[in-house]
């Protein structure tokens, strides 16, 4: 039995076999082939397998996301059969006398470079497609399961670290829990795990060894403890905790349908954070009263190319309609920093958290912003949609966002497409700059939502992704709480509402402080709604103090 300790980032007890995440790190040796004819057969088989996979993926995409998403995989299948591409592979094989792997790699590089240098966004996107297709054929040649879990039954997934897009692509039904060597509680991977309700521990470091693959483990996503090959007694203790958590959850069930008010009648809107239309199910199950943050970038991360206006419209419309008139705050694209999609071709930066991310990407790339705004406004006809802009630091940025909204509305008017002209516009307060000019910003918008993950990162000068900052990264820091108070006072002075959608919103220890500050809304992972409601309904707002704001 081996006890390992990390940071618990998503509550819950799980036990099962460890399965190490397989990332296809492809290394191809430049060695001559022993039999060219054999290599040709191998290439033909790998292409055939790729086509079958892509056809299945297209069918799945058509069922779950519509025709346009399906087309992407159909295009990839066509590329596998493209005569020029295949000829290029076979020529490399024959001329160089190399292995099938090397020939496919060379042809892929040649084709994608050729397309990437053409000054045309469409052709450049096809370059990314060739890279994807080449990788798939290589995986099939080498027997690599891409980002896969080679088991049918659910497992505890172990990894050095997971990127948000890797997490997003996982088959949730196969995962009981996640344990990683790196990562931190504020990383987007941890946030996704919480939203999906999967127990998770990160920052285990070297003590999580690849040789544990296949061994039994039990884990506690609250304390951060994992036990490899637990004895019967330990298993029983974990099981007992799981049972008591179930009992608490059953008690929480009594909170369903109860109003979100304190004993003395102060109301707070308890909303949910989601990353996909699929999360609405968890919102309804946990009785969330609205969506306070829909992180739309995950639609982009899940795709291999820019999602079209229609695909986005369908996703936003579904969320708006499913929430049946409850407010749905949809945040515009917040890509960059740890959230990267290759096809954006964002420049590599020394300090990506301080670089071109979020609203900066949208203001630099008006075409992408315009497509998303059109989809959002079209969806506004189907529910109570509000639009929120991330990472604001200046008034001019907000004015430019509003101008883009005006342009989209004028366009929809001309085209006779219905939308809600009074769609609320809000901004995220997640930079110290936005706190300091909150009064001016409040004059421009209908609401504020504080992103405490980034606000803490930028206020405390602590990388939210790092797991070695320990006591230095304390989102409870009075500076962060005072920033919240400054923003709340500015919002209320201008007569607008203010919420919190960062992870701090779910912190039961801070609820009384939020009441004292005057926060109007808290947006949290779905599973946090009922515990928060229980605490809220036992609190007296008038008795809450600003004590925690003192040093
Ligand atoms: C935040 O920064 O608190 C926030 C909600 O945005 P994200 O975590 O997606 O950066
Ligand atoms: Mg943020």
């Amino acid at each position: 039995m081996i006890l390992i300790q990390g940071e618990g980032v998503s509550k819950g007890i799980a036990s099962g076999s460890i399965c190490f995440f397989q990332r296809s790190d492809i290394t191809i040796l430049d060695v001559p082939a022993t039999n060219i004819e054999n290599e040709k057969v191998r290439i033909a088989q790998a292409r055939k397998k790729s086509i079958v996979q892509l056809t299945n993926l297209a069918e799945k995409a058509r069922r779950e996301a519509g025709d346009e998403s399906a087309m992407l995989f159909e295009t990839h299948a066509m590329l596998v059969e493209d005569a020029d591409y295949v000829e290029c592979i076979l020529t490399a094989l024959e001329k160089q006398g190399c292995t099938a792997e090397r020939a496919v790699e060379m042809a892929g590089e040649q084709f994608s470079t050729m397309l990437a240098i053409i000054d045309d966004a469409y052709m450049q996107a096809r370059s990314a497609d060739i890279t994807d297709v080449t990788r798939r054929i290589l995986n099939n040649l080498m027997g690599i399961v891409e980002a896969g879990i080679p088991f049918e039954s659910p497992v505890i997934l172990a990894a050095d670290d997971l990127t948000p897009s890797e997490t997003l692509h996982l088959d949730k039904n196969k995962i009981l829990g996640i344990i990683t060597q790196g990562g931190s509680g504020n990383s987007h991977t941890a946030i996704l795990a919480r939203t999906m309700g999967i127990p998770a521990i990160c920052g285990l470091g070297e003590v999580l060894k690849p040789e544990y693959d296949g061994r039994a483990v039990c884990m506690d996503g609250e304390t951060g403890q994992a036990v490899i090959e637990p004895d019967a007694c330990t298993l029983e203790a974990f099981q007992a905790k799981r049972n008591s958590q179930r009992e608490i959850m059953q008690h929480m069930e009594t909170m369903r349908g109860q109003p979100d008010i304190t004993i003395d009648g102060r109301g707070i809107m308890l909303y949910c954070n989601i990353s996909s239309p699929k999360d609405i199910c968890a919102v309804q199950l946990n009785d969330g009263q609205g969506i306070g943050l829909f992180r739309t970038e995950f639609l982009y991360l899940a795709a291999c190319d820019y999602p079209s206006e229609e695909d986005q419209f369908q996703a936003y419309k579904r969320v708006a309609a499913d929430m049946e008139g409850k407010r749905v705050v949809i945040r515009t694209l917040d890509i960059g920093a740890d959230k990267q999609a290759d096809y954006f071709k964002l420049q590599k930066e020394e300090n990506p958290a301080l670089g071109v991310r979020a609203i900066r990407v949208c203001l630099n790339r008006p075409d992408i912003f315009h497509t998303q705004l059109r989809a959002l406004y079209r969806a506004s006809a189907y529910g109570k949609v509000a639009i929120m802009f991330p990472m604001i630091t200046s008034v001019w940025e907000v004015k430019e966002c509003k101008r883009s909204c005006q342009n989209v509305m004028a366009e929809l008017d001309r085209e006779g497409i219905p939308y809600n002209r009074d769609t609320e516009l809000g901004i995220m307060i997640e930079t110290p700059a936005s706190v300091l000019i909150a009064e001016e910003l409040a004059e421009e918008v209908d609401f504020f939502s504080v992103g405490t993950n980034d606000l803490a990162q930028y206020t405390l000068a602590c990388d939210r992704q790092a797991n070695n900052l320990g006591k230095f990264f304390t989102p409870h820091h009075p500076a962060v709480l005072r920033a919240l108070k400054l923003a709340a006072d500015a919002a209320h002075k201008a007569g607008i509402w203010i919420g919190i959608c960062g992870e701090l919103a779910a912190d039961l220890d801070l609820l009384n402080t939020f009441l004292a500050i005057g926060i109007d809304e808290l947006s949290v992972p779905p599973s946090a709604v009922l515990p928060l409601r229980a605490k809220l309904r036992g609190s007296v707002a008038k008795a809450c103090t600003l004590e925690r704001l003192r040093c």
Side-chain angles (χ1 to χ4, degrees), residues 538-551:
S539 303
V540 177
K542 282 199 196 95
C544 295
T545 69
L546 294 172
E547 181 67 31
R548 301 286 288 261
L549 273 61
R550 297 210 189 103
C551 287

Side-chain angles (χ1 to χ4, degrees), residues 301-312:
L301 292 179
C304 310
D305 201 351
Y306 299 104
S308 66
E309 177 185 323
E310 189 57 29
D311 279 352
Q312 292 191 58

Side-chain angles (χ1 to χ4, degrees), residues 188 295 331 334 339 357 390-391 428 430 451 453-454 464:
H188 284 96
R295 289 182 162 98
R331 176 173 76 181
D334 182 0
K339 291 176 281 194
R357 60 166 290 208
M391 277 287 294
M428 291 194 70
E430 45 188 352
N453 308 332
D454 278 317
R464 63 189 273 190

